[in-house]
Amino acid sequence: MFADELNEPQAAAVAHTSGPLLVFAGAGSGKTRVITYRIARLIAEEHVPPWRILAVTFTNKAAAEMRGRVQRLSGAEAARSLWVGTFHATCAKLLRVHGAAVGVRPNFVIYDSSDQKALLARVLKDLDLDDRRFPPRSVLAHIHSHKQEGRGPDEAAAHSYVDEIALRVFRSYEERLRASNALDFEDLILNVARALEGTPEGELIRQRFDFVLVDEFQDTNATQYRMVREISRNHRNLCVVGDDDQSVYRWRGADIRNIRGFRRDHPDATVVKLEQNYRSTQHIVAAALSIIARSSSREPKELWTQNDAGDPILVVTARDERDEASLVVESIVRARGRGTKLADIAVFYRINAQSRVLEDALRRASIDYEIVGGLRFYERAEIKDALAYLRVIDNPQSDVDMLRIINVPTRGIGATSVERLAAWASSRGLPLTEALARIGEIDQLGATAKKKIAAFAGLLGGLREAAKTLTPNELLVRVLSDTAYVEVLGEEDTAESDARIENLRELSSSLLDYEVEAQAAGEPPTLCGFLERVTLASDTDSLGEQGKVVLMTVHGAKGLEFDTVLLTGMEEDLFPYQTQQNKPQDSEQLEEERRLAYVAITRARRTLVMIHTQYRQIFGKTRWNCPSRFLDELPNYGVVRSTTTSIERSFGPGFDRDFEPDETSGLTGAKQVPPPRPVEGRFVDRDFFHDQPDESTLADMRRGSRVHHDRFGEGRVLRVVGAAEPTVVVEFPGWGEKKILARFLKLA
DNA sequence: GACAGAGGGTTTTTT
DNA sequence: ACCCTCTGTC
């Protein structure tokens, strides 16, 4: 089956039937094709019922794509009954049915990151901890890393006083989750893993599936791996697909050692390597390889391609971030001139803070663009408020939601009253809803406060009563009118309040969509069902459909491909990223940055432009930059280096003939400044530095350069530091380390 | 209870 | 540069 559409290793992975299978899928090697064909073959040839196949992904988008492809191969019925979903959605579904075994009640709510943070803030306040000494952000990160490794507060060890406190916070956080009948994202997976390992119910979960597939296996964390290993324990029909070279989520718990773990747990596993790249030109594949080859401890494999050599990769030096943005604009105009669709062009950057200047330039040039990432729909305040009402109606015990809405819109229940109410409940171990019901018993509250709180309780009671007969969307409408939420917004009458009302309308229409879909699937639409979908949903589905250039971080680009990729900010300390402090770069971190660069390069099908600036404003300060080490590591062949002022030279004559040069563009400079002189190897155009001393610049000095200083004599550059002016740290024999402005140094 | 101003921190992101 | 949080004032 499919023999003529697959190469040899692809066919082997598709044909493999029972037992463990490990597929290394290089960038652009047809990974999704292998997974979906494999599913289709299991259904068609092995007669496996589709609902006995579980395919797990990391994003909803990947899940949707997989289901869509299966539909084309195996038909709508098979696609519908197949278990395809993210780890979280799959586990949530299983827990609604099997959760009792591990003490999870079926109507639990899922707390997203802002709910988690709000919950943690309560805990910190309760324990009276200074949030400067215990920043919620990092405490939460700490808790998550325990849970990602599968540890609860009792399994986590404390090595210091601070650890001790952190554990107390952890324990209290867990207690409050439980008391709120809420699960955080990690809980979804952890609880399924626990059910599978230690309960009779686990056997029932296992018996649901005959085949299990995991996509992006290099991104799994310890708990996720535990879960898939346990769920396939009986038959071991576990197929994992991934690429260790594309592991870029270590910082959020992904553990590349799971690949080794898989081999240890399944020594008899079949291993398949997909190494033929169908996506990119030879030059692009070669560039990617020369970056990743320097990575240590990777699975040996060699990406190759039969595609054309293609055009050379361009590496361009821009003066600053605005010059860079102009170059991006010029490149887009040029690509479009060659017939590339806007949606097939992407601009990548390492951090979101880089996007603003690029956006400005695109807007000025009237190029339609779409930015991926940023504030999501379901994270907007008004949406969260509305959802909090729905969740409190569905699950009265959810204190985070209760606290969010108790005075929204303002109804005269001030912070002090809320505090007293919460203290009363917390001292008795009761949820807030209980405190509302027994408001008369709370002596700490004044008569006015009691009256207002009682009125709020009455409001909720009325809504809860209404919920019994209304559909989810009707309930939302009722909530918004009974609380006068929209009314209050309407009175504001600003552009912002209008937008908020518009967002609420959109929420309503997405509820309607849900109702229609649920009915089509033969299930009654429930509030709980909708809330789960919302919490586990992302809204990046419409990507690239709108004929616009896409701007995104390199992380956001993973899994995507474009004809033309413009990779900006290729500078030391930005890419590879290094935090502000002059901490020496940790090598694990550098490895991850390297893989990230590999991911970025392999997104491009035909055209790749990599840009670095000589200086840029970042976080409010001007920083002088060295070109990224990744630029140094590119092959000589197939790479053309140039500057924005000499761009005509590298693109060939007539490059800028067909568009209007921008005033701020470096390209204008090409006509005014004398022809630049190309420099062998590392490219520095001194003409950029009219207003800089014509001494050595940062670009000449890098780690290891030998330099001379009038007073200290000869020394060796240890590192380059971001500062208002080119600055380096030099070790002078006899003097030690000195931080010196580069203009006081000469290259020795 | 609303708002202004100070202060601190600053990667990457899904669910 | 910007955003979020905290604090103090009216």
Side-chain angles (χ1 to χ4, degrees):
Chain A
M1 192 174 177
F2 308 125
D4 50 337
E5 294 173 61
L6 298 167
N7 67 31
E8 202 178 303
Q10 284 175 336
V14 169
H16 174 96
T17 307
S18 59
L21 171 64
L22 170 59
V23 180
F24 285 99
S29 65
K31 175 190 72 171
T32 310
R33 163 174 289 215
V34 164
I35 296 177
T36 50
Y37 279 32
R38 188 176 138 76
I39 291 171
R41 200 196 70 83
L42 288 172
I43 295 171
E45 291 187 355
E46 308 293 333
H47 310 294
V48 182
W51 62 87
R52 301 196 54 84
I53 301 175
L54 170 65
V56 198
T57 64
F58 272 85
T59 64
N60 292 303
K61 208 176 143 209
E65 193 192 338
M66 207 173 281
R67 200 186 286 280
R69 292 236 219 160
V70 170
Q71 174 163 3
R72 261 173 279 150
L73 295 168
S74 309
E77 189 49 39
R80 212 173 54 79
S81 56
L82 189 74
W83 276 67
V84 191
T86 62
F87 269 101
H88 298 87
T90 301
C91 288
K93 209 166 154 188
L94 290 171
L95 284 175
R96 300 268 181 218
V97 182
H98 302 282
V102 281
V104 172
R105 283 168 282 169
N107 66 329
F108 60 86
V109 295
I110 301 166
Y111 276 2
D112 71 11
S113 17
S114 63
D115 301 326
Q116 293 160 25
K117 215 174 142 206
L119 185 74
L120 187 74
R122 300 290 316 161
V123 170
L124 292 173
K125 190 165 231 173
D126 231 35
L127 297 178
D128 205 23
L129 292 171
D130 178 10
D131 59 4
R132 262 197 300 239
R133 217 155 97 81
F134 297 93
R137 232 180 96 98
S138 60
V139 177
L140 198 56
H142 194 73
I143 289 175
H144 285 321
S145 80
H146 278 307
K147 293 176 89 164
Q148 282 159 356
E149 307 273 323
R151 288 185 298 271
D154 296 325
E155 289 101 355
H159 302 291
S160 67
Y161 176 69
V162 173
D163 280 3
E164 199 64 58
I165 303 283
L167 275 190
R168 233 157 63 200
V169 175
F170 188 5
R171 191 162 288 124
S172 174
Y173 171 86
E174 292 288 296
E175 279 163 10
R176 272 176 185 264
L177 273 178
R178 180 163 281 260
S180 301
N181 190 20
L183 300 182
D184 68 14
F185 290 131
E186 314 310 336
D187 284 333
L188 295 172
I189 294 150
L190 203 48
N191 280 308
V192 171
R194 285 182 179 149
L196 284 165
E197 277 168 355
T199 72
E201 193 80 10
E203 200 53 42
L204 294 178
I205 302 177
R206 256 189 289 277
Q207 282 166 11
R208 281 171 170 265
F209 305 109
D210 295 324
F211 286 86
V212 178
L213 296 94
V214 183
D215 190 20
E216 305 278 13
F217 184 64
Q218 77 283 352
D219 288 340
T220 50
N221 64 37
T223 306
Q224 288 162 336
Y225 174 54
R226 221 171 102 193
M227 182 232 139
V228 294
R229 184 187 62 203
E230 290 306 314
I231 209 167
S232 57
R233 196 170 70 195
N234 291 349
H235 46 69
R236 294 197 313 135
N237 292 332
L238 175 60
C239 165
V240 301
V241 183
D243 182 3
D244 52 333
D245 291 337
Q246 292 185 65
S247 158
V248 293
Y249 285 119
R250 190 178 73 108
W251 51 274
R252 69 177 198 208
D255 194 339
I256 206 163
R257 289 174 305 180
N258 283 340
I259 294 178
R260 242 179 288 150
F262 181 88
R263 294 187 136 163
R264 191 188 52 234
D265 295 335
H266 307 286
D268 56 333
T270 305
V271 177
V272 172
K273 291 180 185 178
L274 308 178
E275 296 172 299
Q276 182 174 0
N277 172 296
Y278 293 96
R279 179 186 296 155
S280 311
T281 64
Q282 281 178 28
H283 287 322
I284 288 166
V285 170
L289 276 177
S290 78
I291 301 279
I292 203 65
R294 288 171 166 83
S295 172
S296 57
S297 78
R298 58 189 280 263
E299 176 73 21
K301 54 191 133 24
E302 196 72 30
L303 206 64
W304 62 281
T305 185
Q306 280 179 345
N307 294 345
D308 300 343
D311 294 332
I313 291 161
L314 287 179
V315 172
V316 189
T317 308
R319 192 185 36 198
D320 58 14
E321 71 274 18
R322 297 201 312 174
D323 193 30
E324 174 181 68
S326 301
L327 176 70
V328 164
V329 168
E330 319 294 12
S331 306
I332 291 168
V333 170
R334 203 177 140 69
R336 193 166 51 180
R338 280 196 310 261
T340 309
K341 291 199 210 85
L342 281 190
D344 235 338
I345 304 171
V347 184
F348 297 165
Y349 35 81
R350 178 64 181 80
I351 63 175
N352 288 119
Q354 289 170 257
S355 74
R356 175 170 260 103
V357 184
L358 295 164
E359 286 185 74
D360 286 345
L362 290 169
R363 212 175 304 120
R364 259 187 288 122
S366 306
I367 293 172
D368 285 340
Y369 67 89
E370 182 184 355
I371 199 148
V372 178
L375 192 60
R376 292 209 213 86
F377 181 72
Y378 290 111
E379 279 163 20
R380 288 163 217 251
E382 61 280 13
I383 302 299
K384 292 228 66 165
D385 289 341
L387 292 175
Y389 272 101
L390 296 181
R391 297 210 301 192
V392 160
I393 292 165
D394 184 49
N395 175 10
Q397 292 168 336
S398 181
D399 282 1
V400 163
D401 291 304
M402 190 69 88
L403 287 169
R404 181 171 184 106
I405 56 168
I406 190 163
N407 197 31
V408 177
T410 25
R411 50 177 70 91
I413 305 174
T416 322
S417 303
V418 172
E419 230 17 84
R420 287 180 185 154
L421 190 72
W424 187 89
S426 151
S427 67
R428 286 165 182 73
L430 295 171
L432 284 168
T433 184
E434 200 62 31
L436 290 186
R438 292 160 61 179
I439 189 75
E441 300 171 33
I442 307 176
D443 302 330
Q444 294 87 337
L445 289 167
T448 335
K450 280 187 183 179
K451 212 154 138 196
K452 285 174 170 162
I453 294 172
F456 172 65
L459 173 78
L460 286 185
L463 289 170
R464 220 164 266 143
E465 193 54 41
K468 288 179 185 159
T469 52
L470 301 178
T471 71
N473 183 50
E474 287 164 351
L475 182 63
L476 172 71
V477 173
R478 180 71 172 270
V479 165
L480 294 177
S481 69
D482 282 11
T483 60
Y485 197 101
V486 175
E487 203 179 316
V488 170
L489 275 180
E491 280 160 20
E492 263 183 54
D493 197 29
T494 59
E496 191 171 313
S497 67
D498 286 352
R500 287 172 190 271
I501 293 172
E502 199 41 55
N503 286 334
L504 289 168
R505 282 212 189 90
E506 215 174 310
L507 179 67
S508 169
S509 81
S510 102
L511 255 166
L512 271 178
D513 285 350
Y514 163 74
E515 287 177 13
V516 171
E517 273 173 45
Q519 254 140 20
E523 296 159 16
T526 64
L527 199 49
C528 187
F530 175 73
L531 291 172
E532 173 171 319
R533 194 170 90 145
V534 163
T535 314
L536 297 179
S538 65
D539 44 6
T540 47
D541 322 318
S542 59
L543 187 76
E545 285 165 12
Q546 288 147 324
K548 295 175 178 172
V549 172
V550 190
L551 270 64
M552 61 181 128
T553 64
V554 180
H555 283 92
K558 190 157 166 257
L560 305 174
E561 58 175 82
F562 300 90
D563 177 88
T564 297
V565 166
L566 309 170
L567 181 50
T568 66
M570 293 304 291
E571 296 136 27
E572 281 295 292
D573 294 354
L574 184 55
F575 198 2
Y577 188 86
Q578 189 171 14
T579 88
Q580 302 297 274
Q581 305 92 325
N582 280 332
K583 276 189 235 142
Q585 179 119 29
D586 137 19
S587 73
E588 289 280 321
Q589 217 173 301
L590 180 60
E591 289 277 285
E592 179 137 324
E593 295 289 318
R594 181 178 296 290
R595 294 190 293 263
L596 197 54
Y598 174 78
V599 167
I601 293 170
T602 52
R603 298 309 96 194
R605 286 196 290 263
R606 298 211 66 81
T607 306
L608 175 62
V609 183
M610 301 166 90
I611 311 168
H612 70 103
T613 63
Q614 297 184 300
Y615 59 93
R616 85 164 60 231
Q617 286 240 320
I618 200 149
F619 299 134
K621 288 200 188 84
T622 301
R623 241 169 41 180
W624 290 79
N625 308 309
C626 259
S628 170
R629 68 190 70 195
F630 301 139
L631 295 178
D632 292 341
E633 293 168 4
L634 295 173
N636 287 324
Y637 181 67
V639 176
V640 172
R641 291 168 196 264
S642 110
T643 77
T644 42
T645 54
S646 67
I647 198 125
E648 190 164 357
R649 172 187 298 262
S650 51
F651 276 104
F655 161 68
D656 58 352
R657 200 179 293 145
D658 45 12
F659 55 83
E660 287 290 310
D662 185 302
E663 281 298 307
T664 60
S665 160
L667 291 173
T668 317
K671 287 165 187 150
Q672 297 162 346
V673 177
R677 33 184 205 289
V679 174
E680 196 58 46
R682 150 159 256 91
F683 203 103
V684 179
D685 188 344
R686 299 276 170 86
D687 288 332
F688 275 128
F689 291 91
H690 305 299
D691 42 10
Q692 291 300 315
D694 196 317
E695 300 288 330
S696 313
T697 68
L698 253 200
D700 296 307
M701 285 177 199
R702 38 218 200 101
R703 258 162 268 243
S705 300
R706 303 218 60 94
V707 292
H708 183 270
H709 184 269
D710 287 345
R711 179 148 161 244
F712 305 123
E714 270 205 20
R716 193 169 55 85
V717 174
L718 291 180
R719 59 183 180 273
V720 177
V721 292
E725 231 195 295
T727 307
V728 292
V729 176
V730 185
E731 186 180 23
F732 295 102
W735 297 90
E737 285 185 27
K738 297 275 173 199
K739 195 166 163 182
I740 292 175
L741 293 176
R743 66 185 151 101
F744 295 123
L745 296 166
K746 279 203 274 284
L747 278 173

